[in-house]
Amino acid sequence: MSALATGQSATLRTTDHDGVLVVTLDRPPANAMNRELIHDLAGLFAELGAGPDAPPIVLTGQGERFFSGGGDIKELEDAHAGEIAFRMREFHALLVAMDRYPRPMVSAINGHCVGGGMEVALFSDSVLAVDSARFGFPEINHGLLPADKGIQRANKVLGVRVTRRIILSGDLFDAHHAQDIGLVDELVADHKALITRAVSTARAAGSKAPVLYGALKSSVNDPDDVTDDASLQRTLKAAADYFDDPLARELRQRWSGRRASADKAQSC
């Protein structure tokens, strides 16, 4: 396997659990998804998915508070439009690689799972979560937008009415509501039990004939290059429209200031 798949990354930790690869987002305190993490994760899925022995994957976050706090808003400070376009292309590539990954992919949600973290969960085959996890798409309140491909997947998994409500409100919701709307498949009370249960789920799915599992997963996900390109173009146009908008910029600055204050208080 590649260096990424054997644990050599500044943003990811990987461990082999007897054939199930546990991938941990490792950017404390919130496991925010910066460009490096997005690039590393997209490369991992694309490289492993193209090989003959792609393993079942469990994806989780470091610590007990955050699966992922979403995109790293600090990267957008003083950024220009070309940088946001590059970032959105990379994130779209991650979702495409996950969509096409032929083997089981289980998300083990160990804490807050918002924004880009929510999109990653939506592209998983199974989602397990601790009772204390929180979910949501808060981007509308922070001067940001989810990727179009992530929104389309939310429509398919959760339904248009639920997706409309959670995306347009930006409100967070608890793990029990996430299970009620079909985002979470199983709740686990204990953080220690979460990875054990997720590995067991991935291993059981991985015991199916890979050629059949991959074919059926492809039929269910129905990936399509033309549709993906159209989705990317919508994402890039939306990013170009909102990035320099004064109100969106003000919302990002407010949120970035609150996050910085929270991080400082946590380190004291």
Side-chain angles (χ1 to χ4, degrees):
M1 286 191 287
S2 69
L4 280 175
T6 54
Q8 304 302 312
S9 167
T11 65
L12 305 174
R13 287 193 296 106
T14 59
T15 54
D16 182 2
H17 289 240
D18 294 325
V20 175
L21 189 68
V22 175
V23 180
T24 303
L25 309 183
D26 190 13
R27 288 199 70 238
N31 299 321
M33 304 180 80
N34 67 350
R35 287 191 295 267
E36 185 179 10
L37 188 153
I38 292 167
H39 177 80
D40 286 351
L41 197 56
L44 181 71
F45 275 105
E47 181 176 342
L48 291 178
D53 300 312
I57 288 178
V58 170
L59 188 63
T60 192
Q62 175 65 19
E64 295 188 355
R65 294 189 61 234
F66 287 93
F67 173 77
S68 176
D72 190 343
I73 198 167
K74 291 181 181 178
E75 279 194 334
L76 303 182
E77 296 174 2
D78 302 319
H80 55 74
E83 289 176 285
I84 188 64
F86 179 78
R87 178 193 176 93
M88 296 311 294
R89 285 183 182 276
E90 288 268 89
F91 191 71
H92 176 84
L94 167 60
L95 299 184
V96 168
M98 292 182 67
D99 201 19
R100 287 160 169 71
Y101 192 69
R103 302 289 283 136
M105 197 298 230
V106 177
S107 278
I109 309 299
N110 56 300
H112 277 57
C113 174
V114 299
M118 267 279 290
E119 294 177 74
V120 166
L122 284 162
F123 279 83
S124 306
D125 302 317
S126 300
V127 179
L128 283 66
V130 293
D131 288 339
S132 58
R134 301 273 290 172
F135 298 85
F137 283 106
E139 285 93 334
I140 193 171
N141 297 327
H142 301 160
L144 299 167
L145 285 174
D148 183 83
K149 186 172 175 66
I151 295 173
Q152 301 311 316
R153 178 53 57 91
N155 280 340
K156 290 175 67 174
V157 174
L158 308 178
V160 174
R161 291 188 66 84
V162 170
T163 299
R164 182 185 294 121
R165 171 170 53 81
I166 63 178
I167 284 184
L168 297 183
S169 71
D171 293 341
L172 302 188
F173 49 92
D174 65 25
H176 293 276
H177 185 63
Q179 187 177 41
D180 288 342
I181 64 176
L183 173 62
V184 169
D185 298 293
E186 182 179 342
L187 295 180
V188 181
D190 182 88
H191 278 88
K192 282 187 176 180
L194 178 65
I195 297 301
T196 300
R197 181 61 184 146
V199 168
S200 176
T201 299
R203 180 170 290 114
S207 69
K208 310 296 183 185
V211 66
L212 299 179
Y213 190 96
L216 291 170
K217 181 174 176 176
S218 180
S219 292
V220 171
N221 289 357
D222 193 25
D224 178 78
D225 290 341
V226 174
T227 301
D228 277 341
D229 184 64
S231 188
L232 174 60
Q233 296 311 314
R234 284 194 294 269
T235 292
L236 294 177
K237 182 181 185 307
D241 290 344
Y242 86 76
F243 189 68
D244 289 325
D245 177 78
L247 179 55
R249 186 185 302 113
E250 181 182 352
L251 289 170
R252 289 196 299 273
Q253 289 170 346
R254 289 180 189 173
W255 178 240
S256 182
R258 287 197 294 270
R259 288 284 294 271
S261 297
D263 289 348
K264 183 177 180 180
Q266 189 178 46
S267 65
C268 293

